[in-house]
């Protein structure tokens, strides 16, 4: 009986540690991939996990920066969801290689669908031209649940560098590589429909996975491996306890 109690305690502790390590990987809304090159165009996905057991996510609203506006924005249809792209006047015109930009996309809202318990959804956006005078773009996001709860993912990083409670999805911008320094690139979808503002209703929806190897996926795999190691350690401890049991 003493052996059984010791084994149960060890396995329970290992399970708790494993769960504690794995949960933070899906703790907040994120943007994937998390980095892009300055001056170019990029396709990103806003990854939205549902964190409630008793409610579904029914609306996602992403605010776009107005201090570093994006001249071209287009969205990919998501099955079961309608999308509304809102344009607005900028506080002041921004000079771009296409001329002075006076209006730009300020908000994209997805609604009408459902993200259930234990699920997540990715909302893809093609956008550019990314600015060259900043190293990051923040996209404050509002998540609405079927029960009426509203969660705002809009916190800036803390002064000590640690993550805020509800961090805003942030795209890190890196200097363009030498091969790309002589051209800014051209988006296949966004260039043909700059600042798309029509609803995606009625369009044939299709969804493709975000490129594998994103930082979030890598973190999840690392944490999963750590949990497996903890479980193995628990089994070894249990076997040693059995061998030491008095005859």
């Amino acid at each position: 009986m003493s052996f059984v109690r010791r084994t149960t305690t060890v396995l329970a502790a290992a399970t708790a540690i494993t769960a504690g390590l794995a949960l933070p990987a899906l703790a907040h809304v994120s943007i994937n991939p998390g980095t892009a090159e300055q001056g170019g165009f990029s396709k990103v996905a806003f990854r939205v996990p549902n964190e409630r057991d008793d409610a579904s996510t029914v609306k996602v609203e992403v605010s776009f920066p107005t201090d570093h506006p994006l001249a071209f924005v287009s969205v990919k249809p998501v099955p079961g969801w309608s999308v509304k792209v809102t344009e607005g006047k900028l506080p002041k015109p921004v000079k771009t290689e296409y001329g002075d930009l006076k209006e730009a996309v300020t908000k994209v809202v997805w609604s009408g669908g459902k993200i259930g318990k234990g699920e997540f959804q990715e909302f893809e956006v093609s956008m550019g031209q990314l600015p060259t005078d900043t190293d990051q773009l923040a996209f404050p996001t509002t998540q609405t649940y079927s029960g009426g709860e509203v969660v705002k993912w809009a916190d800036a990083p803390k002064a000590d560098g640690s993550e805020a409670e509800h961090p805003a999805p942030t795209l890190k911008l890196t200097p363009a590589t030498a091969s790309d320094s002589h051209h800014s690139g051209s988006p296949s979808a966004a260039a043909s429909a700059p600042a798309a503002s029509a609803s995606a209703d009625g369009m044939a929806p299709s969804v493709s996975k975000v490129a594998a190897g994103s930082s979030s996926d890598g973190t999840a795999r690392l944490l999963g491996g750590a949990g497996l190691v903890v479980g193995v350690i628990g089994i070894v401890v249990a076997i040693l306890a059995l061998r030491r049991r008095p005859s």
Side-chain angles (χ1 to χ4, degrees):
M1 292 301 295
S2 178
F3 165 71
V4 172
R5 285 195 299 270
R6 287 197 300 269
T7 302
T8 302
T9 300
V10 170
L11 293 179
T15 301
I17 293 174
T18 302
L21 288 172
L23 288 177
L26 295 176
H28 54 73
V29 175
S30 60
I31 186 170
N32 297 278
T35 61
E37 289 190 352
Q38 295 174 332
F41 292 83
S42 180
K43 184 185 77 170
V44 300
F46 293 94
R47 182 175 297 171
V48 182
N50 188 78
E51 296 183 302
R52 301 293 179 265
D53 294 334
D54 57 352
S56 300
T57 296
V58 294
K59 182 179 178 181
V60 176
E61 178 179 318
V62 179
S63 296
F64 279 62
T66 56
D67 55 343
H68 292 91
L70 301 169
F72 301 99
V73 174
S74 61
V75 297
K76 184 173 184 177
V78 180
W81 294 78
S82 61
V83 60
K84 180 180 180 181
V85 181
T86 301
E87 296 180 30
K89 289 186 177 181
L90 300 175
K92 61 180 181 179
V94 176
K95 291 185 179 297
T96 72
E97 66 178 79
Y98 306 102
D100 288 346
L101 188 63
K102 299 179 179 179
E103 293 186 357
V105 170
T106 57
K107 182 170 57 178
V108 178
V109 179
W110 288 270
S111 61
K114 183 177 72 172
I115 307 174
K117 174 184 175 182
E119 298 177 345
F120 73 91
Q121 179 64 58
E122 292 180 333
F123 302 92
E124 292 184 307
V125 176
S126 176
M127 59 189 184
Q129 185 178 359
L130 299 176
T132 58
D133 57 348
T134 183
D135 61 359
Q136 64 179 22
L137 291 176
F139 297 84
T141 300
T142 300
Q143 182 177 14
T144 302
Y145 287 93
S146 56
E149 180 186 5
V150 176
V151 179
K152 294 183 179 295
W153 302 94
D155 295 345
K158 295 182 179 180
D160 60 2
S162 60
E163 188 174 74
E165 182 178 0
H166 294 91
T170 301
L171 179 65
K172 302 292 185 181
L173 301 179
T174 60
T177 58
S179 60
D180 295 332
S181 60
H182 300 296
H183 61 86
S184 59
S186 176
S188 57
S192 61
S197 57
S199 169
D201 292 335
M203 298 179 65
S206 62
V207 176
S208 62
K209 295 181 180 297
V210 173
S214 69
S215 58
S216 295
D217 293 340
T219 301
R221 287 193 295 270
L222 178 61
L223 294 177
L228 180 60
V229 171
V230 171
V232 172
I233 292 176
I235 295 175
V236 172
V237 171
I239 293 175
L240 292 177
L242 177 63
R243 294 182 61 183
R244 292 171 181 169
R245 185 179 62 180
S247 58

